[in-house]
Amino acid sequence: MKKNEVTLYGLNNYKQVIDDVVNELNISDDCFDIKLLLTESLTNAFKHGNNGDENKPIYLRYVCNDTNIEFEIEDCGNGFENLSIPNKLSDENLLNDCGRGLFLINCIADKIEFKDNKLVIQKYLNVG
Amino acid sequence: MNEVRISIPENFAVDEAAEFRQNMNNLINEGNKNFALNFNSCTFIDSTGLGVLVGIYKKCNELNGSLTLNSINPKVMKIFELTRLDNVFEIK
């Protein structure tokens, strides 16, 4: 079992943080998916949760065993009230400039949960 | 047809996508409207990258220009399929 917590301020360092997580967890088969889950969730936390304020922290916590990884992304916002994520993007929303982040997280993750100002993501790992 | 060929960055996300949007807007403001985007080097795309491509697509349409996407790798292609943008863009 591996677990860790990283604190980010803004997105200046986010790529290095994600690379470090991927390297530490040795999950090359799932690298693309994990990178996408973390990029989308950290971007959301910064833009929407922290309103783009680089002085507010974003906490990334993870727990991983051989078959499963759980991420928790906590920002300083008020949480995700009345949020619904569509199962499929509708024709009228197809050409929106934004609004695909949570949809992609929901597609790639095995389970997501909103707890106050935390997004909890579960992903089963490809075991080769 | 005067087509501008452009390579998409390896990591087409947050910062790279914002820089790419600025470069494309400059090219469009200079009078270009036909673009071929080469994904040969691109191994990662996120929703910001997709949003930038959609914005460029809409501008090209308004100008009666063209936008084609080439050489997309399977993992990146999956993101286009999930968001149904594979039905929007001309992908070669």
Side-chain angles (χ1 to χ4, degrees), chain A residues 25 34 62-64 67-71 121-123 125:
Chain A
L25 299 176
I34 299 298
Y62 54 89
V63 182
C64 180
T67 57
N68 180 49
I69 184 161
E70 183 176 292
F71 293 107
I121 301 172
Q122 283 230 350
K123 173 80 179 162
L125 298 172

Side-chain angles (χ1 to χ4, degrees), chain A residues 83-100:
Chain A
L83 190 69
S84 71
I85 305 170
N87 289 323
K88 190 180 173 188
L89 293 176
S90 61
D91 286 342
E92 68 256 33
N93 294 330
L94 213 53
L95 290 180
N96 285 356
D97 287 344
C98 54
R100 297 180 183 84

